[in-house]
Amino acid sequence: PRFLLVFDFDETIVDENSDDSVVRGRALPEALRQSPRGGSYNEHMQRVLAFLGEQGVRPADFRAVYENIPLSPGMAELFQFLSKHQELFELILISDANTFGVEAKLRAAGARSLFRKIFSNPASFDRRGFLTLGPYHSHKCLECPANMCKRKILTEYLAERAREDVEFQRVFYVGDGANDFCPSGTLTAADVAFPRKGYPMHRMIQESQEKQPGAFQAAVVPWESAAEVARYLQELLRR
């Protein structure tokens, strides 16, 4: 593969935050309604999932929720394009959601086989049938939530592929959130960041470009529909 394409999941591949999708229409106790200001969001979701398990939400219910989350505009088109050019693009997904939800959705969308690797918080069902969640790793980054620094995951992945003699000509990063800004800061001038237009990642890139012109090295191509990402990549192949 000549290119590495990195995807976020929530509000990037799918059009909503999958954690919100899971609790939609369910009455949560006051203590679980707001995610913690200072505390760990990952631990908050562990408590939410435990509560849902106690309320009788079962594996099949969770699977159905994840499978039915709508894809973002143009995402099906982008996947179609990538499935035609699998020899050129290596795909990985880095998400602060959970492995169960991400895998369920990608399989339902017929896109699981496109991804070489999925990095997300470990999730599985315990003997009671409750969906349990853990942190992905620990790290020293001050910008990121305690359970996941996407920059660390991306740099380690690139180093591992380099040891396997795979060097990418370019890295593309498709995301939307504040936690996508940190890894996109490692991109070089040859690479491209695709922030979703008007979302936190886009705003943070703009702010960093105003504050320190040139500090953010990658080309920036904002998107409203992922079909715009597909068109950009198509143009690149034509060159």
Side-chain angles (χ1 to χ4, degrees):
R2 283 164 49 192
F3 309 110
L4 179 68
L5 196 48
V6 186
F7 279 91
D8 167 52
F9 181 69
D10 287 317
E11 298 187 289
T12 298
I13 285 178
V14 291
D15 206 18
E16 43 193 65
N17 182 322
S18 58
D19 291 337
D20 296 341
S21 314
V22 164
V23 298
R24 187 173 296 123
R26 302 188 186 279
L28 293 180
E30 192 54 50
L32 293 180
R33 257 184 238 157
Q34 297 298 322
S35 57
R37 282 267 151 82
S40 156
Y41 181 76
N42 183 265
E43 286 168 12
H44 164 74
M45 276 312 294
Q46 291 173 27
R47 292 190 289 273
V48 168
L49 294 172
F51 172 78
L52 293 175
E54 285 156 12
Q55 299 303 299
V57 182
R58 286 297 164 258
D61 305 321
F62 280 111
R63 183 182 300 281
V65 168
Y66 288 116
E67 288 179 348
N68 288 311
I69 302 172
L71 290 173
S72 289
M75 196 53 67
E77 205 174 311
L78 176 55
F79 285 157
Q80 234 167 357
F81 167 81
L82 292 167
S83 69
K84 287 190 191 122
H85 298 284
Q86 287 186 58
E87 74 291 352
L88 296 176
F89 294 96
E90 179 164 302
L91 272 60
I92 62 170
L93 188 151
I94 311 178
S95 164
D96 198 6
N98 68 76
T99 50
F100 175 78
V102 170
E103 298 257 0
K105 179 62 206 175
L106 290 179
R107 275 199 287 272
R112 177 60 188 92
S113 63
L114 292 175
F115 289 85
R116 182 171 184 268
K117 212 137 189 216
I118 286 171
F119 300 94
S120 191
N121 299 302
S124 58
F125 292 97
D126 65 12
R127 50 190 174 69
R128 300 166 299 174
F130 290 20
L131 183 55
T132 62
L133 179 67
Y136 179 75
H137 61 186
S138 58
H139 59 84
K140 296 187 175 69
C141 175
L142 301 173
E143 306 299 315
C144 290
N147 63 298
M148 178 174 281
C149 171
K150 294 184 175 189
R151 175 190 289 244
K152 182 174 196 255
I153 295 170
L154 178 57
T155 43
E156 285 174 359
Y157 184 79
L158 288 168
E160 176 196 315
R161 294 301 275 145
R163 285 194 297 275
E164 294 160 354
D165 290 329
V166 178
E167 295 277 358
F168 300 103
Q169 288 176 15
R170 293 183 174 189
V171 177
F172 302 107
Y173 194 106
V174 188
D176 76 288
N179 63 355
D180 295 311
F181 176 69
C182 181
S184 62
T186 65
L187 302 177
T188 69
D191 304 328
V192 184
F194 292 100
R196 193 169 182 182
K197 207 176 271 182
Y199 282 69
M201 178 190 179
H202 186 206
R203 286 197 294 274
M204 290 167 84
I205 290 173
Q206 288 173 317
E207 282 161 19
S208 95
Q209 286 171 325
E210 281 161 25
K211 247 187 246 149
Q212 278 180 292
F216 191 89
Q217 291 183 33
V220 181
V221 180
W223 58 279
E224 280 176 356
S225 162
E228 297 163 62
V229 178
R231 276 200 294 278
Y232 183 96
L233 298 176
Q234 190 133 36
E235 280 301 308
L236 177 83
L237 298 187
R238 284 207 190 100
R239 277 181 239 147

